[in-house]
Structure formats: structure tokens, C-alpha cells
Amino acid sequence: MNCIITIEMGTNAVRIFAFKIDGTLIGSSKGHYPTFHDEQDYSEQDPEQMFITMLFVLKNLLIEKIHPQKYRVDSICFSASMHSLLAVDKKGIPIGNAITWADNRGKKEATDLKNSALGREIYSLTGTPIHPMSPLVKIAWIRNNLPDRFKKTWKFLSIKSYIIQQLTGEYIIDQSIASATGLFNIHDLQWEQKSLDYAGINSDRLPALCEVFFSDLKLRREYLNTLKLDIGTRIIVGSSDGCMATLGAGIWDGNKATITVEDSGALRVVSDKPIHDEKQRLFNYVLTSQHIISGGPTNNGGLIFDWFNSQFGDSKTGFNMDLAAEGLIEEATEVPAGSNGAIFLPYLLGERAPIWDANARGVYFGLNIRHERKHLVRATIEGILYGIYNIGQSMEAHRTIDSLSLNGSFATIPFCAQMISDIFNKPVGIISERNSVGKGAFLLSAINMGIYKNIDEAAKSVTLPVDYKPNKQNHKTYNQYFRVFERLSVKLADEFQAISALQQENGS
């Protein structure tokens, strides 16, 4: 019996799934790794710790679920979060930590570039909004602030490129991850010279480009032995987590969108060409040359609720954070839509779409003496989802959206899923596989094996029942409070900048 394994290098965890060839889930496993915020605006991870965690989780899944049942691993397909950057020397040894999508240290570089004619041209050519998240800006920051590291760097990698290099010895990057760097031309599918010139590098300092189906890779012998895998096991380079989540959510019809909320979040649609947004609010990333994933990301997803839980959750639950979170959500159900006028701007990590303000900060607004913790709980959840709705409003300036597909552990909590349906005033479906990134990677592998003829056929294999229908009265209430949320997010821009500068000055 053959099986397919998918490996997702997520923001704070690696998630590994094993599927039968017919798509039935055999088993899954997850391992966590930390993110370090040693200075304001810094978000870093230890690449070696990430690799070791991935290897440990993969080996355990093979030992516990795959080898005892005599499955042969036909292929291993990778996905990863976007916008990471890791500098390595000629021996492939990391120079410092990996810089994640949430890192905002390049604010000055991003602001200067975005406000220039070159920045507008780069956005149009690459589809990546000009923001500190992008590796383009991160490289420029390293060049300006860490010149020794910049000179010592042999190649700038994504974390997925590093993981694959460790396993196979090859320096490659798929077009999907590349299209989220700000360095890749999504029209001619090559590194963009204007971006390279701005960053101060040439294409030799980046990995070789390949398509998402590329599988001409072999595991190093030591990992074949350690993992007890066959030499014929194919390593499929795969795609970004966002593109995989969209494929796995089966939203290939024109008027559907998918919403993912894990630690961060995004709203995405599929098209055969990029969406050009004059305000530079939306991204355009490549899955294949015929499939462009367009949408907007938010920094502030489930991580924000985790923060609230850790700071204000019920201490009686001890270290059982999941139980504490369940208790908070139960409290939130006691409060009506709109949280009795309490509004939360969830920008603890700055914000990407649609305001693209790395200085944005969190705000509780409208509090009065009658508000209790339960109101703050519900306002926190509403604020996270208002952020997603704000992206949806930007998208609907270009595309009609009739229905939504949800994935991600936070989005698929029933209370949150109903709230999304009510806020958007649209029906919501949730596929049976709650992790659509893993499902998307399975479908990509199945196409590679010839089970499906192409991506369109694979996407249509995903069934999407309608699980939630909007409450019209709740939508009316949410819409009234959302308009305040939307105005505050813009009106406070100057104050965001001022408080960010003070925090930077005082090291807080």
C-alpha cells in the first residue's frame, strides 16, 4: 500500500499528515517551536530547531502510523508560511535566525520604497505589497543595518528552501514561495531585476526557481536510513501554505473565497490573472502560471486570542490553555453581537492588509463601567474577524463573493464560524479535513502521481457543504460597529506612529 505524506512548516508549528492514495487520512502529528521577539518589531525563529522538530515529528509519525501498517511512502510534499528569510554561508550554515513574516524591523525601508515610483512599479511586477514582511525589504534592511552579515551571506533562503536543502542538498525555491518575496516577477515567472537592484543582490544569491510540482529530488542517504524510507520516495517541493490552503478548500469556482485563520489569517480568491489594486492593498501569488491566488493577509489571527487567553484567562485551569480558551469562548456566548459597544483593534503585531501599517497597535475602544471580562472576550474575537472582513471589503471592490470556505483551527471553531457568516452576511462551508493546507498538499501530490489530470480537476474533488448561514440581524449590528472599527484603524495612524516611536525609544 502506498501513502502520501505532507509537511507544513507553519508559523509556530510543523504539521505532518499521512494520506492513503484515495485521500483518506491515516494519521497526523504536530510539533511546536518558539518565535523570539528579542527587540521591538523583531520576530525570529531558530532554523535548526525548526528542522530538528520537523525531523522528530516525521520520524514519530512514520514509526507509529506508517511502518507498522506496511505503507510505502510514495511522496513527501512540502508547504510553508510565506515571507521568511534566512541568510546562510557557503557551507549552508545559518547566519543568525530566520526572520518571519511578522517581523517589522524594515519599516523605514518599506515606507520609503512604497512612497516611490519604483515601489509602485515593483508592486505591479511582483504582486507583493511593499511592507516589512517581504524578503525584499528584509534584505534591504540587512544591507543597511548588518553590513557584515550581508557580505557574508552566500544565499538568502526561505525556511522551506532551508529545510529542503538540509534533506536533499539542493538549493531551490518554488514559484509560489518566490512570488511572495517581492523579488519575483509574476508575469514572466523569473527573478525581477528591478527588485534585485533595489535589494543590492544578484540572482545567484537566491535559490534556483522551480515549479510547485518539481520532484527531481532525493533524500540524503542518512535520512533515508534514519527514516527508513525507500530511495524511490519522491520529494515534491510543493507550495506556500496560502496557495495550498486555497487548493485544499476547493474554492475554484469564480465567486467563492476562502478564509484561513490560524496564528495569522488571510482571505483569498483564485483567478487566471492578477488583481491590480491601485491602493496596493491586495497580494497576487502564483500557484501555477494559470492559477493566481489573490487576497490579503492579517498579522493578527488566533495568536491574538492566545495572547488574551494567556494574560486574562482563567488561572484555575493551570497550564491547560485549550481548556482556558474554551471557557473564554463560553463566556463570549453570553454577550450579544457587538459586545455592547466594546470594540477591539487587534493590531498587536502591526497590520498588513488592508491598512498595511507596521506601526498599528492594539486598542480597546468604547469601554464603560458596565463592561466585564466577557465583553472583552467577545470584542477580542470580533476584532480579529473585523480585520478579516476589512480585507473582504477590499476584495469585493474587484470581485463578487457569494460564499466562503473556512479553514484553520481558529476559524473553524463553531462560535467563530457563525460569527464570520454573520459579519460577512454570506453562507459558510467547512470541509471535513479542517487543515486544508495538508489537503492541498495531498492534491498536489496526487496530480504529480497522475491520480488527477490537473489542478482544476483536483480542486473540484473537494466537497463543500454549507454549514453556517448568516443571521441578518446580527449582520446589521456587526456592520454598524465595523464602520467604527474601520474609521478608527485609519484615524489613529498618526497616533500609532507616535506610540510606536515612543516604544522604540524606550525599548518597550
Side-chain angles (χ1 to χ4, degrees):
M1 296 184 295
N2 284 6
C3 72
I4 292 170
I5 288 179
T6 68
I7 298 177
E8 175 197 353
M9 300 302 301
T11 299
N12 288 320
V14 54
R15 299 173 179 86
I16 302 182
F17 294 83
F19 296 90
K20 295 181 182 179
I21 299 304
D22 65 1
T24 303
L25 184 65
I26 299 169
S28 64
S29 191
K30 180 168 70 171
H32 292 272
Y33 31 75
T35 301
F36 308 110
H37 306 282
D38 292 341
E39 297 185 43
Q40 184 184 330
D41 294 326
Y42 281 43
S43 290
E44 297 184 342
Q45 293 176 324
D46 183 340
E48 294 175 332
Q49 184 175 13
M50 296 173 77
F51 177 73
I52 291 169
T53 301
M54 181 279 299
L55 206 59
F56 177 79
V57 174
L58 174 59
K59 186 173 183 178
N60 280 353
L61 183 63
L62 290 168
I63 290 172
E64 294 173 4
K65 298 286 186 179
I66 304 305
H67 297 325
Q69 298 184 53
K70 307 299 182 184
Y71 282 105
R72 177 188 176 276
V73 179
D74 177 272
S75 60
I76 300 175
C77 185
F78 287 86
S79 67
S81 53
M82 293 174 275
H83 315 300
S84 60
L85 184 75
L86 175 65
V88 300
D89 64 18
K90 286 187 176 181
K91 294 181 179 180
I93 298 172
I95 307 173
N97 285 329
I99 305 174
T100 79
W101 57 264
D103 194 277
N104 283 322
R105 72 186 72 178
K107 289 187 291 189
K108 181 182 183 303
E109 287 79 3
T111 299
D112 291 346
L113 180 59
K114 185 173 183 178
N115 293 331
S116 70
L118 176 62
R120 290 187 289 275
E121 188 175 8
I122 286 176
Y123 170 70
S124 179
L125 292 168
T126 68
T128 303
I130 307 298
H131 185 269
M133 70 173 186
S134 75
L136 169 70
V137 173
K138 290 181 172 80
I139 293 172
W141 184 91
I142 292 172
R143 183 196 64 216
N144 293 339
N145 295 273
L146 300 174
D148 288 343
R149 180 182 297 190
F150 184 79
K151 291 177 183 177
K152 291 177 183 176
T153 299
W154 185 58
K155 287 192 185 292
F156 291 101
L157 307 177
S158 72
I159 195 63
K160 181 152 79 83
S161 293
Y162 173 74
I163 297 294
I164 290 175
Q165 190 277 330
Q166 290 291 293
L167 290 171
T168 69
E170 301 294 332
Y171 288 96
I172 61 172
I173 185 170
D174 64 89
Q175 293 172 348
S176 179
I177 289 284
S179 68
T181 63
L183 295 154
F184 179 82
N185 188 307
I186 61 173
H187 306 284
D188 64 19
L189 305 182
Q190 297 294 328
W191 295 119
E192 171 50 49
Q193 191 60 49
K194 287 184 173 63
S195 296
L196 296 175
D197 291 343
Y198 169 79
I201 62 174
N202 57 43
S203 59
D204 291 341
R205 298 181 77 179
L206 299 171
L209 290 164
C210 65
E211 295 184 352
V212 297
F213 294 107
F214 184 79
S215 59
D216 191 17
L217 296 166
K218 299 295 181 184
L219 283 174
R220 295 180 193 236
R221 183 159 296 279
E222 59 263 37
Y223 296 120
L224 286 173
N225 294 336
T226 298
L227 300 171
K228 294 182 170 56
L229 292 174
D230 189 282
I231 195 170
T233 299
R234 284 179 288 182
I235 305 300
I236 303 174
V237 64
S239 174
S240 67
D241 56 356
C243 289
M244 290 292 202
T246 308
L247 174 60
I251 62 142
W252 243 234
D253 292 338
N255 293 335
K256 293 181 180 179
T258 185
I259 290 175
T260 303
V261 189
E262 283 284 359
D263 298 324
S264 58
L267 179 145
R268 308 179 187 93
V269 300
V270 181
S271 183
D272 59 356
K273 57 183 179 297
I275 292 174
H276 184 72
D277 183 64
E278 290 288 345
K279 297 180 181 179
Q280 302 185 40
R281 295 170 297 182
L282 304 174
F283 61 66
N284 293 284
Y285 299 146
V286 172
L287 180 56
T288 74
S289 58
Q290 290 82 38
H291 302 93
I292 305 296
I293 311 299
S294 301
T298 173
N299 285 358
N300 303 287
L303 273 174
I304 305 307
F305 187 72
D306 289 346
W307 164 82
F308 186 95
N309 184 21
S310 65
Q311 301 303 319
F312 309 112
D314 191 344
S315 60
K316 290 185 290 186
T317 61
F319 294 104
N320 192 332
M321 294 297 286
D322 289 339
L323 185 60
E326 289 177 12
L328 289 177
I329 290 172
E330 183 64 29
E331 279 188 40
T333 65
E334 301 172 7
V335 177
S339 304
N340 286 58
I343 295 174
F344 176 54
L345 305 188
Y347 308 136
L348 303 191
L349 290 168
E351 187 53 296
R352 289 183 285 175
I355 63 173
W356 295 101
D357 186 351
N359 291 314
R361 293 293 182 264
V363 176
Y364 284 100
F365 180 81
L367 300 186
N368 62 48
I369 198 68
R370 299 179 62 188
H371 284 121
E372 305 172 30
R373 183 177 76 166
K374 62 185 180 181
H375 296 93
L376 297 184
V377 177
R378 181 160 189 140
T380 300
I381 298 171
E382 288 175 351
I384 293 167
L385 300 183
Y386 285 156
I388 298 284
Y389 184 55
N390 209 7
I391 299 169
Q393 295 288 283
S394 300
M395 177 59 71
E396 291 207 86
H398 301 275
R399 288 276 296 271
T400 299
I401 298 173
D402 293 332
S403 63
L404 301 168
S405 166
L406 301 188
N407 56 76
S409 57
F410 188 81
T412 52
I413 295 170
F415 179 70
C416 298
Q418 184 61 58
M419 192 180 291
I420 291 172
S421 180
D422 293 347
I423 291 172
F424 277 80
N425 197 30
K426 301 182 191 299
V428 162
I430 301 175
I431 61 172
S432 56
E433 293 89 356
R434 295 303 171 94
N435 187 292
S436 66
V437 176
K439 179 69 173 181
F442 162 78
L443 292 174
L444 205 67
S445 302
I447 297 165
N448 186 272
M449 294 175 65
I451 296 172
Y452 298 105
K453 290 186 296 185
N454 52 44
I455 283 183
D456 295 329
E457 182 179 272
K460 290 175 182 176
S461 72
V462 179
T463 57
L464 193 65
V466 175
D467 296 300
Y468 300 90
K469 294 182 180 180
N471 179 302
K472 303 296 183 182
Q473 184 57 49
N474 283 351
H475 172 70
K476 181 179 178 181
T477 299
Y478 285 133
N479 198 51
Q480 290 172 328
Y481 287 115
F482 169 75
R483 296 305 167 194
V484 179
F485 172 97
E486 184 181 35
R487 291 193 297 271
L488 285 171
S489 298
V490 176
K491 286 182 176 181
L492 289 177
D494 289 343
E495 309 313 321
F496 287 151
Q497 183 174 359
I499 197 66
S500 176
L502 287 171
Q503 289 173 346
Q504 184 76 42
E505 181 181 330
N506 295 317
S508 57

